[in-house]
Amino acid sequence: MIRITLKDGSSKEYNDGITIREIAESISAGLARAVLAGEVDGRVKDLSFQPEKDCTLKLLTFDDEGGRLAYRHTASHVLAQAVKRLFPNVRLAIGPAIDNGFYYDFDTEKNFTPDDLTKIEKEMESIIKEDISLERYTLSRDEALRFMEEKGEPYKAELIRELPENEEISFYKQGDFTDLCAGPHLPSTGKLKAIRLMSATGAYWRGNEKNKMLQRIYGTAYPKKSQLEEYLFRMEEAKKRDHRKLGKELDLFDIMDEGPGFPFFMPKGMVLRNLLEDYWRSEHKKAGYQEIKTPMILNKDLWVRSGHWENYRENMYTVEIDEQDFAIKPMNCPGGMLVYKRKLHSYRDLPIRAGELGLVHRHELSGALHGLMRVRCFTQDDAHIFMTPEQIKDEVIGVINLIDDFYKVFGFKYKVELSTRPEKSIGSDEMWELSTSGLKEALDAKGISYKINEGDGAFYGPKIDFHLEDSIGRTWQCGTIQLDMNLPERFDLTYVGADGEKHRPVMIHRVVFGSIERFIAILTEHFAGAFPVWLSPVQVKILPIVDKHYDYAYEVKKLLEQKDIRVELDTRNEKIGYKIREAQMEKTPYMLVIGDKETEGRAVAVRSRKDGDIGAMSVPDFINKIIEEIKTKAK
Ligand SMILES: [Zn+2]
Ligand SMILES: [Zn+2]
C-alpha cells in the first residue's frame, strides 16, 4: 500500500501499481476527464505513472501550467508526426511547448509555404482522429544513439551524445512515429481537441547563427474550440494594437538603430508622459510623499555596499571617472538609503515616504528588447517608505489605496499575489512573521482576494504584486510592494525610538506604474491608441471647410487654448471628408467642423471619435463639455 496526499491536504491509501489516472477516477469522473498529468512530489508525470512510495500528488488540468505544457507538448509530437508523414526526408530537431502554444524545428530542403501548413494541419487532425496512444519506453544511451542514427536523425543523435553515459533515455512512441523526449505527455492523440498552426519562420539550430538555419513551425492547442477562437481573436487584436506600430503612426515615440533599447519620445509622446508624471506627482503629494532625485552615476563603493556590484554587475553599465570605478544606477534604492542616512531620525518622524521618478539603466540582451516593453533605460516611479514595525499594516493599506486609484482611472481590473519567505533568506523568523502578517492584514482589511505564492518572495522580504488586466484580457505585472530587511541592515539605517534607543526601521520599495515607458506601451495597446480625452496629446482638431472660414477657425482655436485645451487647426487645402478621415485615423477625441453656418452662428459642428456627428454647439458650451471630461478623467 502507498499513501497519497492530495493538494488539499487529504490523504488516502491505495494498492501498489495504481496509476495517476486511476487515482483521479477514484475521486470523480469529471476530474478523470479533465486531468492531463500529475505532479508527484513536485515533478510532472504521465497519467500512466505508478507512484512507488508515499508521495504528494497534484492532479493537473489545462488550468495548471504543468497540464498545459503536457497538452501542447503532445501537440508538438503530433505536428512532427504529420510532417514526417508528408515530408519523409525532413530531419527532426526539437519541439517544446511554450507560453501560448508550441513549436517544432525541422531541417528541410525548402521552406514551408502557407499551403504546406494547411496540409500539415489537416494531417494533424487525422492523427488526432486516429486516437493513437503514446507509449513511453526507455533505452540505454548506446541503444538510443544507435536507434536515432539508424533512423537518420543527426540532431536527435547530437542531443543524446550530450547526455551522461549511464543515463536511461526515454522515448515516446505513437503509431508510426517515435520521438526522443523526457515527457510528460497525454495518453493518446485523441485527447487533443482544437489545434492551429500559426506560422513558419527560420530559426538557427540551438539559436546559434553559426549553425544551420532550420524551419520552425509555431502552433497552439486548446481543449475547447471556443478557447482557440478567443486566443486567435486576441492575437489579431494585439497585432492591431502593437504599441511599436501605433507609436510610430501617432508620432509618440520611437527606437532608432543608433540606440537599441534606448527610446526617443516625440513631442506628442512627451505630452502623454508629462501628463502621467503630473498625475503621479499630485496623487503622491496628496498621499503624503516627498519627492527626491538621486544621481544617475555613483561610485563603486556604494554598489559594493548595496550588494549590486556582487549580484547585479552583469546588468550594470559602468564608467571610470578620475581613475575610479562608477556605475550608472540600475535601481534607485542605494541613493535613497543615503538620503535617509543624512539625518538622525526620531520615531516621531516616521513614516517617511520618499518618492523618486528615477531614470535607471540596465543592460538587457539585444534579443530580449521589445519596443517600450523591454528597454535598456526606463523611469521607475519608485518610492521608499521607512517606518516602525507597528506602521506596516497602515502604510501598506495606503499604498494599496494609491495603486487602486491609479488603475481605476485607466479602467484596468487587477489581481493581487502575495509571495512569502523562500528557502534561502535573511532576517529573523520573528521579522518574517511580522512583515508577512502585516502585508496579509492590509489585504484582508481592504477585502482584496489574493493568491499566495509560497516561498516565492525575495530573499530579503515578502512582497505583494499587482497584475493588471487590459482591454483584451492580457495581464501585465506593474505595481509591487516589496518589504526589505536587507538594505536597512547593509546601510545601518536607524531611528531613535520612544525608549531613547536606536532601532532598525522597516522599509518598503513600491512602484505603481512600474516603469513609465512600459506603462505607456501598455496604455497604448489597452486603448489601441485612442487615449481618453485627458490623456490625448491632441484633444481637438479644428477643420475649416474652405479658406474663408479660417479667420473664425483661428478665433476658436485661441478660445480653446486659453482654457489649456490641446488643439490643432488643419488649414490644408484638402476636402473636408479627407480631413475628417485623417483626424479619425489620428484618434483625435473631438473634431470641430467649421463652414458657413457655423461661422455665421458663431458655433462649431462637433464630431466625436466615439459617437460620430453630435451636432452644432456654441463654443462656450463645447468648452464646458470637454473641460468636464478632462477634469473627471472620463474614459
Ligand atoms: Zn515530448
Ligand atoms: Zn527600491
Side-chain angles (χ1 to χ4, degrees), residues 195-354:
I195 52 143
R196 177 65 56 89
L197 295 183
M198 309 292 289
S199 60
T201 70
Y204 293 105
W205 167 236
R206 313 200 125 167
N208 185 340
E209 61 203 79
K210 293 195 184 99
N211 292 337
K212 186 162 187 196
M213 171 84 85
L214 307 176
Q215 278 279 299
R216 173 173 298 175
I217 298 181
Y218 282 102
T220 193
Y222 284 89
K224 283 192 190 133
K225 206 167 162 239
S226 59
Q227 288 171 320
L228 174 65
E229 272 159 13
E230 201 187 294
Y231 170 75
L232 295 174
F233 173 76
R234 246 184 317 154
M235 290 301 290
E236 222 18 72
E237 267 304 301
K239 219 187 279 171
K240 274 190 251 164
R241 290 162 181 258
D242 190 324
H243 74 281
R244 295 167 299 179
K245 175 173 153 276
L246 285 171
K248 273 199 189 51
E249 281 170 16
L250 303 175
D251 209 16
L252 302 172
F253 42 80
D254 207 349
I255 292 179
M256 309 198 200
D257 293 341
E258 289 80 355
F262 302 104
F264 284 75
F265 278 81
M266 302 307 142
K268 284 178 184 164
M270 273 317 284
V271 171
L272 183 58
R273 182 180 179 125
N274 285 335
L275 285 162
L276 292 174
E277 293 189 359
D278 291 348
Y279 176 57
W280 189 91
R281 287 203 165 91
S282 78
E283 291 303 300
H284 281 72
K285 202 170 158 196
K286 276 189 243 165
Y289 285 72
Q290 300 166 314
E291 188 176 352
I292 57 170
K293 190 167 276 303
T294 63
M296 195 101 78
I297 299 178
L298 290 161
N299 76 7
K300 179 181 163 184
D301 290 351
L302 176 78
W303 303 106
V304 169
R305 184 164 199 187
S306 69
H308 287 88
W309 199 266
E310 194 190 341
N311 300 310
Y312 204 67
R313 180 78 176 75
E314 281 169 22
N315 294 81
M316 289 159 72
Y317 298 113
T318 53
V319 285
E320 205 177 273
I321 302 173
D322 295 341
E323 285 153 46
Q324 282 194 40
D325 287 331
F326 282 72
I328 302 173
K329 66 175 173 185
M331 292 177 199
N332 301 303
C333 326
M337 302 306 107
L338 294 185
V339 173
Y340 181 89
K341 253 185 103 68
R342 278 179 69 247
K343 285 187 180 164
L344 202 61
H345 297 281
S346 148
Y347 68 97
R348 288 193 205 87
D349 308 331
L350 304 184
I352 290 173
R353 309 182 189 95

Side-chain angles (χ1 to χ4, degrees), residues 73 77 181 185:
H73 196 169
H77 280 228
C181 182
H185 284 287

Side-chain angles (χ1 to χ4, degrees), residues 331-334 336-337 380 382-384 460 482 484 487 507-511:
M331 292 177 199
N332 301 303
C333 326
M337 302 306 107
Q380 274 190 320
D382 228 333
H384 296 111
Y460 50 79
Q482 168 80 62
D484 190 341
L487 286 182
M507 187 191 81
I508 53 181
H509 315 256
R510 40 107 291 172
V511 289

